[in-house]
Amino acid sequence: MSTAHGEQVRVLEEHGELGATHSLNWWGMIFFISSEALIFANLIAAYLYLEIRAGRWTLPSGDHLDVIYPAFNTVILLGSSVPAILARSGIAKGDKRRLVLGLLGTIIMGSVFLGGQAYEYTNLISQNFTLNYKTFGSAFFTLTGFHGLHVTVGLIFLIVILIRALRGDFTAKKHFAVEAGEMYWHFVDLVWILVFSTVYLLPLIRG
Amino acid sequence: MATPVIGNATTTVVRQKRLSESYVGEWLMTTDHKLIGIMYIVTGFFFFLVGGMEALLIRTQLAAPDAHVLSPQTYNAIFTMHGTTMIFLFVIPVLTGFGNYIVPLMIGARDMAFPRLNAFGYWVLLFGGIFIQSSFLFGAPPDGGWFLYAPLNLTNAGCTVHATACTNGMNADFWALGVLMLGVSSIAGSVNFVVTILKLRAPGMSINRMPLFTWMVLVTSFLLLFALPSLTAAAGLLLLDRHAGTHFYQYAFGGDPLLWQHLFWSFGHPEVYILILPVFGMISEILPVFSHKPIFGYTFIAWSGVAIGFLSFTVWAHHMFAVGLPPIAQAFFATSTTLIAIPTAVKIFNWIATIFGGKISFKVPMLFALGFVAMFLIGGLNGAALAVVPFDYQVTDTYFVVAHLHYVLFGGTVFGVFAGTYYWFPKMTGKFLGERLGQVQFWLMLIGVNLTFFPMHILGLLGMPRRYYTYAGNLGWNELNLLASIGALTIGLAIMVFLYNVIVSLKNGQVAPDDPWDAFTLEWDTSSPPKKYNFLHIPVVRSRRPFYDKKYPEIADWKTVIH
């Protein structure tokens, strides 16, 4: 941010035009995430479109997807948002120890989720359910894989923040990267609820 | 330069110039919204010339029946690249460029909210553009039409039945990867615009007092944020189909080519409003200034833009009437398409009411703005005709559609872009564009557009399909096609006049004062061209025409009108 730019923000703050609650960066992140969320919306729409067209999707064995194991994985992913919140609220008070511990917790839980997804994939592939298995395979692996990609990006994001935190880059006043990482992580969590419902829960309801 | 004194001896230390301080380095490394805006505009015009030459090749091929200027394969590539270039590499960058340059000045800001993200967006666009165009060098230009329908976009695996219609080469990959890159650029730009407009307006400029161009850029940015994801998803799935063995669009494996159409057009229809809304904004700035009146019905123009934005997400399948949608869906999409004509017509009436009773000065920006209103009206009317499903059955995929989209995109957007160029050129460069040459260009373009695209209505009604590389001589299409080709040459001539005008005016054009048009908005309250920091003091706004208030304090708007 140039100095002239900084002065503009100051003038706006003096006139009370910039709400005191959120920074410009926060708003930028919100709009970026909302656009990203719509990619998921489109993929979910494509998933449902193909599923309705096919009538009834089953695995090569004739069963539905197993829901117990992914549900367990879901709990871990949703739970990983808690240490992320602790990390951000920690650094907001200047508590660097809580920041590091919180980030570590989120990273570990996120990695467990990702490992779980990999395990599920190998399991399915060993049953001959692959990317090429009808439209079901295509849609399933694309949608969940795209989410997995987002988890991976989120993890990289958090690891970079962790390294910066260990180097002491963040203070109580200046820690937007932590906030952004937390926002992105919540997004990845929330969107998983929609993906999980579409892929695993909906077939249960349809029977 | 610093002159430290050491002992009694004086040494002069010459600091090495940084790269960012040299002329080229400044352009390469700048984060100034004005320089980035100009780079966007220049890049856009460059691709306009590329796309224009492709158009001339098409019209040369079609000038006479059974012509052999282009082979069928080359013809496919040329019309595909014409559409792709014009839409993604000319209109979007040029409008982003104007937005970049003008919006921060209009709202009294010193820069965009995220200057570095802004520069990032430009460079991604440039390399994305080069990437798509480089397909010609690799002998694999995209050739499935600019909307690249399945199965034309698939490799053999996807269409065993019609293997000849598929693209085995990298053609479609260039297209898909290219638009993904351009999407990244547009998302970066849109996030920036939205935050800038929502958060960095000068003190006192409530959303109700925002200039209309800013309004329309805001709506456009939201459209890009929410429509581009569809294209991203569509192109991503396409790449998976082509290279990873998925079956999204492959009928033989239970996929559906129509899925591509749904995804593409749920991007593609908001997209056409993305291409026109900022131009609506420009026209809403230019007409009042040259009529010496405030805009008529500010609120209606602003909110009809928002209405168009919302409705544009509900009309996509009117591109697909002929694919056999269920009647209920056809009824829905015909209705929504007719509905969207209402807010558009509201704008036209507002513009006419703005001119009505004004003291009009017919400077070149005004000529182009008036030309825009007339041409866009024709494009709107024949568009409303296409919303009628039985009529659409008759003329879909004929030259009638080509006539429609060029009246809106050329008669509309391009006229608007030239209006904006003549209007803001003095602010950007400190020189006027030549008035006389501008008039020549305007009349050549007006004649050229109607000569090229009006006969296409009739060609369409006579049943000439679009995208055929040639036609037989006994179908009664010869004269009309020849007329269209002559028209295209006329447009080409007009563009040459414009280029000449820019070069001559930059070199020894008339020097422009800070406020050459007696305008209303804040960008004219800066020097021409503006200083790096735009405004020495951030202005305080009290009405919709802040600069007018400053110039005429006795009759200032805020004394009489409360908004």
Side-chain angles (χ1 to χ4, degrees):
Chain A
M1 224 183 266
S2 64
T3 43
H5 197 229
E7 201 232 300
Q8 155 136 31
V9 174
R10 191 179 54 71
V11 169
L12 287 174
E13 276 167 355
E14 278 166 9
H15 278 82
E17 304 266 334
L18 277 183
T21 42
H22 296 301
S23 62
L24 291 183
N25 292 340
W26 188 87
W27 284 104
M29 201 64 197
I30 283 289
F31 290 117
F32 165 69
I33 286 177
S34 53
S35 181
E36 200 70 12
L38 278 183
I39 302 183
F40 277 101
N42 275 284
L43 288 179
I44 290 174
Y47 187 96
L48 293 174
Y49 181 96
L50 291 174
E51 182 174 18
I52 290 164
R53 224 177 150 267
R56 195 186 151 83
W57 268 346
T58 49
L59 296 175
S61 58
D63 298 335
H64 281 306
L65 285 162
D66 174 34
V67 71
I68 306 296
Y69 179 73
F72 176 70
N73 225 351
T74 305
V75 173
I76 292 178
L77 185 67
L78 295 186
S80 72
S81 263
V82 177
I85 295 171
L86 288 176
R88 197 254 309 138
S89 61
I91 189 64
K93 292 186 199 114
D95 185 346
K96 289 177 188 172
R97 214 176 81 92
R98 232 171 83 186
L99 169 67
V100 171
L101 287 179
L103 286 173
L104 262 178
T106 311
I107 291 169
I108 291 169
M109 289 170 89
S111 309
V112 169
F113 172 85
L114 215 52
Q117 203 179 20
Y119 176 74
E120 189 195 1
Y121 274 15
T122 41
N123 226 344
L124 288 170
I125 289 169
S126 68
Q127 301 172 39
N128 284 328
F129 181 67
T130 62
L131 202 58
N132 312 340
Y133 180 75
K134 299 189 185 162
T135 43
F136 187 21
S138 307
F140 171 80
F141 283 104
T142 305
L143 183 55
T144 54
F146 190 65
H147 180 265
L149 186 72
H150 275 73
V151 177
T152 314
V153 170
L155 282 177
I156 294 172
F157 200 157
L158 292 175
I159 289 169
V160 170
I161 293 172
L162 179 63
I163 294 168
R164 288 186 59 189
L166 292 172
R167 285 188 357 186
D169 276 5
F170 301 118
T171 61
K173 278 199 123 167
K174 201 171 150 292
H175 59 267
F176 179 72
V178 181
E179 216 180 321
E182 188 208 354
M183 288 164 85
Y184 190 82
W185 194 257
H186 290 333
F187 157 65
V188 168
D189 278 8
L190 287 177
V191 91
W192 176 249
I193 296 179
L194 299 177
V195 173
F196 179 75
S197 312
T198 311
V199 175
Y200 297 97
L201 297 185
L202 212 56
L204 293 185
I205 298 168
R206 293 180 74 203
Chain B
M1 241 187 279
T3 328
V5 183
I6 303 163
N8 291 330
T10 310
T11 48
T12 305
V13 183
V14 180
R15 188 169 64 85
Q16 191 129 35
K17 246 185 155 186
R18 288 199 204 147
L19 179 61
S20 60
E21 287 162 346
S22 68
Y23 180 76
V24 177
E26 197 188 349
W27 285 99
L28 285 177
M29 303 168 91
T30 186
T31 55
D32 179 1
H33 74 98
K34 297 182 288 297
L35 297 187
I36 293 173
I38 290 175
M39 293 199 290
Y40 263 118
I41 294 172
V42 171
T43 310
F45 268 111
F46 170 76
F47 284 121
F48 178 57
L49 298 181
V50 174
M53 280 186 258
E54 283 154 355
L56 286 177
L57 278 174
I58 294 172
R59 283 318 318 171
T60 317
Q61 164 70 18
L62 294 179
D66 297 316
H68 296 288
V69 183
L70 302 172
S71 69
Q73 286 78 18
T74 323
Y75 186 81
N76 286 348
I78 293 289
F79 77 68
T80 302
M81 288 302 284
H82 166 70
T84 307
T85 307
M86 286 301 195
I87 285 167
F88 291 105
L89 298 175
F90 160 56
V91 177
I92 292 189
V94 159
L95 294 179
T96 313
F98 275 107
N100 247 299
Y101 198 103
I102 303 298
V103 163
L105 289 166
M106 262 187 174
I107 62 173
R110 291 234 161 106
D111 205 325
M112 300 280 279
F114 311 113
R116 283 209 298 176
L117 184 67
N118 202 16
F120 168 78
Y122 169 74
W123 291 106
V124 173
L125 168 99
L126 180 68
F127 288 109
I130 293 173
F131 176 80
I132 291 186
Q133 299 293 341
S134 70
S135 61
F136 279 111
L137 298 180
F138 293 95
D143 51 5
W146 84 273
F147 35 71
L148 211 70
Y149 274 171
L152 297 182
N153 53 15
L154 294 174
T155 50
N156 269 346
C159 46
T160 36
V161 191
H162 310 285
T164 48
C166 298
T167 43
N168 296 313
M170 294 292 285
N171 311 45
D173 301 316
F174 270 109
W175 188 93
L177 288 168
V179 296
L180 283 177
M181 283 171 83
L182 301 180
V184 170
S185 156
S186 288
I187 293 296
S190 302
V191 167
N192 215 340
F193 275 127
V194 170
V195 178
T196 307
I197 295 173
L198 290 183
K199 302 304 286 183
L200 286 186
R201 296 191 309 275
M205 185 180 280
S206 61
I207 202 125
N208 227 349
R209 293 178 185 164
M210 230 159 60
L212 284 165
F213 178 62
T214 309
W215 256 108
M216 293 303 121
V217 170
L218 181 65
V219 176
T220 306
S221 302
F222 273 116
L223 286 187
L224 276 167
L225 281 180
F226 298 145
L228 264 175
S230 300
L231 181 66
T232 309
L237 300 185
L238 173 63
L239 288 170
L240 287 174
D241 260 14
R242 287 175 62 84
H243 299 292
T246 59
H247 310 302
F248 289 103
Y249 309 129
Q250 299 169 355
Y251 190 80
F253 296 89
D256 191 355
L258 285 187
L259 177 60
W260 169 267
Q261 293 197 21
H262 280 297
L263 286 175
F264 183 86
W265 288 119
S266 54
F267 152 77
H269 209 85
E271 167 74 4
V272 308
Y273 290 97
I274 288 163
L275 303 176
I276 196 75
L277 279 173
V279 178
F280 285 173
M282 291 179 178
I283 300 301
S284 309
E285 296 298 330
I286 293 168
L287 288 178
V289 167
F290 290 89
S291 305
H292 301 99
K293 274 177 69 185
I295 186 91
F296 180 89
Y298 171 97
T299 321
F300 272 90
I301 297 196
W303 287 96
S304 64
V306 177
I308 290 175
F310 275 109
L311 284 172
S312 73
F313 284 100
T314 65
V315 297
W316 78 87
H318 69 210
H319 295 268
M320 302 163 57
F321 282 149
V323 304
L325 297 174
I328 183 76
Q330 294 194 336
F332 173 83
F333 286 105
T335 311
S336 59
T337 308
T338 322
L339 269 183
I340 207 168
I342 297 174
T344 319
V346 163
K347 282 187 164 35
I348 302 252
F349 283 119
N350 276 308
W351 290 327
I352 296 172
T354 304
I355 312 166
F356 189 78
K359 276 187 294 177
I360 303 179
S361 59
F362 287 99
K363 294 276 176 45
V364 181
M366 184 62 168
L367 287 180
F368 274 107
L370 294 174
F372 165 90
V373 176
M375 293 300 101
F376 184 78
L377 184 60
I378 298 179
L381 289 176
N382 58 24
L386 283 170
V388 183
V389 182
F391 181 71
D392 185 84
Y393 279 168
Q394 290 301 312
V395 296
T396 189
D397 262 329
T398 70
Y399 267 82
F400 192 91
V401 178
V402 180
H404 160 64
L405 75 95
H406 282 92
Y407 264 100
V408 249
L409 283 181
F410 201 100
T413 302
V414 177
F415 270 61
V417 164
F418 278 115
T421 308
Y422 277 87
Y423 181 61
W424 281 303
F425 193 84
K427 179 53 62 190
M428 294 178 179
T429 63
K431 299 277 183 65
F432 280 103
L433 274 173
E435 185 77 12
R436 182 61 59 84
L437 283 171
Q439 286 171 355
V440 172
Q441 186 208 342
F442 169 73
W443 289 109
L444 277 176
M445 258 178 72
L446 192 70
I447 295 167
V449 165
N450 288 296
L451 206 55
T452 313
F453 301 116
F454 199 82
M456 290 185 184
H457 290 114
I458 307 168
L459 279 172
L461 293 175
L462 290 177
M464 180 171 174
R466 67 195 290 204
R467 298 182 165 175
Y468 279 28
Y469 90 106
T470 192
Y471 51 93
N474 57 359
L475 296 167
W477 303 341
N478 303 2
E479 295 77 14
L480 291 167
N481 268 305
L482 185 63
L483 268 185
S485 296
I486 295 172
L489 279 178
T490 319
I491 296 174
L493 196 64
I495 303 304
M496 301 293 280
V497 173
F498 170 72
L499 289 179
Y500 177 73
N501 196 356
V502 169
I503 294 167
V504 171
S505 303
L506 279 179
K507 226 174 172 185
N508 37 23
Q510 186 194 343
V511 175
D514 293 349
D515 176 28
W517 314 114
D518 193 15
F520 305 149
T521 38
L522 286 173
E523 77 268 30
W524 304 101
D525 194 11
T526 57
S527 56
S528 290
K531 297 275 189 297
K532 229 182 188 128
Y533 46 82
N534 294 354
F535 303 94
L536 188 55
H537 301 289
I538 302 291
V540 176
V541 176
R542 307 176 77 172
S543 83
R544 282 173 191 159
R545 299 196 294 171
F547 188 42
Y548 178 87
D549 291 352
K550 189 180 167 188
K551 286 186 291 188
Y552 308 105
E554 325 79 57
I555 46 166
D557 275 357
W558 57 267
K559 290 187 175 165
T560 49
V561 209
I562 299 164
H563 3 259

